[in-house]
């Protein structure tokens, strides 16, 4: 996540209706002696959004993010007279509720959520594209890419998250480049009596964890989908079952319960965290959400780049959180003004960072947040990552992918045959 540009007033512009002149543009022309200097005062005035009939716009948000939005919603109300009503919803159910209620006209004007909802939202026709114009360049490229579907940007990003390798520096002082080096260091720590586990990553008892293991897979050249003409994901190009994928499957079996026991099928996410917090392993493959507990425990740690397993970089999936506008909003003008000219500001993005601790998507906010070395490290790793596929077909991938990986880690079946069977099942589900 390399940062060098900042959001300035010069990139701020408002889009209202065809032919409308923004206050910023009008003032700029006036200062230069342009035509706007002699334009009527009404052309330079900020449009009266309440005149459009809006008195309230509604946002669905989860409990964690709601407090972080109160200042920016208060400013919007002070500027426009329009209230932004924050409705706290259960995150587990909010996506499906949004899809169900928007077509009826009972849904909100906008919603907060992760970018991998975009495909499903677009497929159901419940979100509208967001016109960011020049403001796109003020955001991390990866965050805009994640919010782009079929060539259109569908959300304003505010945070980026990805995994990294946490290292207990008391147990292993130096970083490593490859997983083989990580394994050797971990085994030495165990042999020296300093640790009980050479490496920790949590496994779901039924579905494994393809998300956390993906960087190890991508480093071997195995991807899930090929790319479309607009650099998105093409569901017709299912790549996961290729030769590189089979080689990764063999590695999983070698690392698993019947092999080196580097990845343990009996260690869940909660157990992995517990063991690392207890100082029982030098390594923990996880995300920024677990860093606060590591810090509270007083463990001396470093955020290392993801180790490679092959001849390619270890690319994690990145997740991008953002704001989406309902395609059926009855207050579209006011909602667009709030989303594009308030939620894109440093004040809003800084506040969201303080609430969630995820690296900001806005470059200017990230520059400030990156004074924290943990944020800087996760950001650097995320810059090399790839957006988690947001296409609807991805929902047909996770179950077979996870179950197959877990079986291989348990030492069950044949890597080549089972990986091919997994790919065939996914392909059939997508076709169906």
């Amino acid at each position: 996540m390399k940062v060098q540009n900042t959001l300035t007033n010069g990139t701020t512009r408002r889009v209202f209706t065809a032919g409308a002149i923004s206050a910023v543009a009008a003032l700029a022309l006036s200062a230069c002696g342009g035509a706007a200097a002699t334009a009527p005062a009404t052309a330079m005035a900020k449009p009266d959004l309440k005149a459009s009939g809006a008195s309230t716009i509604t946002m669905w948000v989860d409990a964690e993010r709601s407090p972080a939005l109160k200042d920016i919603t208060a400013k919007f109300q002070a500027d426009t007279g329009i209230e932004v009503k924050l409705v706290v919803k259960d995150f587990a159910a909010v996506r499906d509720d949004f899809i169900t209620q928007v077509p009826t006209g009972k849904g909100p004007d906008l919603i907060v959520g992760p970018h991998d909802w975009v495909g499903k939202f677009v497929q159901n026709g419940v979100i509208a594209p967001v016109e960011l114009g020049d403001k796109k360049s003020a955001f991390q490229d990866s965050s805009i890419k994640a919010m782009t579907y079929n060539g259109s940007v569908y959300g304003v990003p505010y945070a980026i998250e990805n995994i990294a390798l946490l290292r207990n520096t008391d147990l292993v002082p130096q970083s490593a480049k490859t997983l083989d080096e990580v394994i050797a260091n971990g085994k030495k720590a165990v042999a020296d009596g300093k640790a009980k586990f050479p490496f920790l990553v949590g496994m779901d008892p039924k579905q494994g964890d393809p998300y956390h293991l993906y960087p190890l897979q991508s480093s071997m050249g195995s991807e899930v989908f090929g790319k479309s003409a607009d650099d998105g994901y093409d569901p017709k190009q299912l790549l996961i079952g290729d030769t590189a994928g089979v080689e990764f499957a063999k590695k999983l079996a070698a690392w698993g319960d019947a092999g080196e026991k580097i990845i343990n099928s009996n260690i869940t996410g909660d157990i992995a965290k517990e063991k690392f917090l207890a100082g029982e392993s030098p390594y923990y493959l996880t995300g920024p959400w677990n860093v606060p507990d590591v810090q509270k425990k007083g463990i001396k740690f470093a955020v290392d780049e993801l180790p490679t397993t092959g001849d390619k970089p270890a690319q994690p999936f990145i997740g991008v959180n953002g704001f989406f506008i309902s395609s059926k909003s009855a207050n579209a003008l006011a909602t667009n003004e709030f989303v594009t000219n308030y939620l894109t500001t440093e004040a809003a993005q800084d506040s969201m960072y303080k609430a969630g601790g995820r690296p900001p998507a806005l470059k200017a906010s990230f520059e400030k947040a990156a004074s924290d070395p943990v944020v800087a490290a996760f950001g650097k790793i995320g810059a090399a990552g790839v957006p988690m596929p947001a296409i609807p077909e991805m929902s047909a991938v996770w179950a077979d992918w996870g179950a197959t990986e877990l079986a291989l880690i348990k030492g069950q079946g044949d890597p080549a045959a089972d990986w091919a069977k997994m790919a065939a099942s996914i392909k059939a589900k997508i076709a169906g």
Side-chain angles (χ1 to χ4, degrees):
M1 228 166 282
K2 298 176 180 178
V3 292
Q4 59 266 0
N5 299 323
T6 59
L7 181 63
T8 65
N9 290 335
T11 63
T12 302
R13 66 191 185 98
R14 294 180 172 85
V15 180
F16 299 114
T17 56
I21 301 176
S22 75
V24 171
L27 287 172
L29 285 171
S30 176
C32 296
T38 57
T42 53
M44 295 176 60
K46 189 172 183 178
D48 182 1
L49 296 177
K50 289 196 71 174
S52 67
S55 60
T56 302
I57 58 178
T58 303
M59 178 193 295
W60 282 2
V61 63
D62 61 280
E64 178 185 309
R65 293 163 181 81
S66 181
L69 289 164
K70 288 184 177 179
D71 286 347
I72 201 67
T73 57
K75 177 171 173 51
F76 183 72
Q77 184 169 8
D79 289 349
T80 65
I82 298 173
E83 177 190 6
V84 180
K85 186 177 181 182
L86 301 175
V87 178
V88 175
K89 301 286 286 187
D90 176 12
F91 185 79
V94 70
R95 186 193 72 169
D96 292 341
D97 287 348
F98 185 77
I99 290 172
T100 300
Q101 294 197 34
V102 164
T104 70
K106 296 179 180 179
D109 296 290
L110 64 156
I111 186 174
V112 181
H115 85 273
D116 55 327
W117 290 355
V118 170
K120 207 75 170 176
F121 281 169
V122 174
Q123 184 182 54
N124 285 275
V126 295
I127 57 173
V130 177
E131 298 297 334
L132 289 175
D134 294 341
K135 287 184 180 177
K136 285 197 294 186
S137 64
F139 290 87
Q140 305 287 359
D141 292 342
S142 59
S143 69
I144 294 296
K145 185 176 180 181
M147 290 293 180
T148 301
Y149 188 84
N150 290 339
S152 296
V153 178
Y154 279 93
V156 169
Y158 71 82
I160 302 172
E161 64 183 21
N162 51 268
I163 63 171
L165 186 64
L166 300 191
R167 173 172 50 88
N168 184 321
T169 57
D170 282 338
L171 299 180
V172 175
Q174 301 297 324
S175 63
K177 295 293 185 183
T178 70
L179 187 64
D180 285 343
E181 292 171 335
V182 165
I183 291 171
N185 291 341
K187 286 183 174 179
K188 186 177 186 303
V190 172
D192 291 345
K194 296 178 180 179
K196 294 183 179 179
F197 303 92
F199 176 87
L200 290 169
V201 58
M203 291 288 110
D204 182 281
K206 294 182 179 179
Q207 292 298 323
D209 198 332
Y211 170 79
H212 278 84
L213 297 179
Y214 186 70
L216 309 182
Q217 179 174 336
S218 65
S219 181
M220 296 186 70
S222 175
E223 302 176 59
V224 182
F225 292 108
K227 295 297 180 65
S228 59
D230 63 356
D231 203 33
Y233 291 102
D234 182 359
K236 295 180 181 178
Q237 297 185 54
L238 184 68
L239 304 180
I240 197 170
D242 63 10
T243 302
V246 172
E247 292 305 309
F248 174 68
K250 293 176 181 177
K251 285 284 190 181
L252 283 179
W255 293 327
D257 298 349
E260 295 185 75
K261 297 181 173 60
I262 301 304
I263 301 176
N264 189 326
S265 67
N266 295 312
I267 293 182
T268 65
D270 288 341
I271 292 174
K273 179 178 176 179
E274 174 190 325
K275 299 301 182 184
F276 189 76
L277 292 178
E280 295 183 13
S281 177
Y283 295 108
Y284 181 25
L285 190 62
T286 190
W289 45 87
N290 282 324
V291 168
D293 286 336
V294 175
Q295 292 171 323
K296 289 176 186 175
K297 194 69 175 178
I299 293 174
K300 295 178 181 178
F301 72 99
V303 180
D304 288 349
E305 293 189 22
L306 294 161
T308 59
T309 53
D311 59 1
K312 299 183 183 300
Q315 292 185 297
F317 279 137
I318 63 168
V320 178
N321 289 302
F323 306 97
F324 307 102
I325 299 174
S326 166
S327 60
K328 302 296 183 181
S329 171
N331 308 299
L333 188 65
T335 303
N336 273 279
E337 169 69 4
F338 177 61
V339 170
T340 59
N341 289 314
Y342 285 78
L343 294 179
T344 57
T345 62
E346 286 185 49
Q349 300 259 330
D350 291 351
S351 182
M352 296 300 283
Y353 162 67
K354 290 174 183 175
R358 310 295 194 270
L362 190 71
K363 292 175 182 177
S365 292
F366 179 79
E367 286 180 348
K368 288 179 283 186
S371 61
D372 181 336
V374 171
V375 174
F378 272 102
K380 181 181 178 182
I381 294 163
V386 293
M388 188 184 298
I391 55 177
E393 290 81 3
M394 190 63 187
S395 63
V397 175
W398 292 111
D400 286 295
W401 191 13
T404 300
E405 287 191 349
L406 185 61
L408 294 173
I409 291 166
K410 288 181 174 181
Q412 300 169 356
D414 174 76
D418 289 359
W419 201 258
K421 182 179 177 181
M422 171 202 73
S425 177
I426 292 170
K427 188 173 183 179
K429 288 179 180 178
I430 291 173

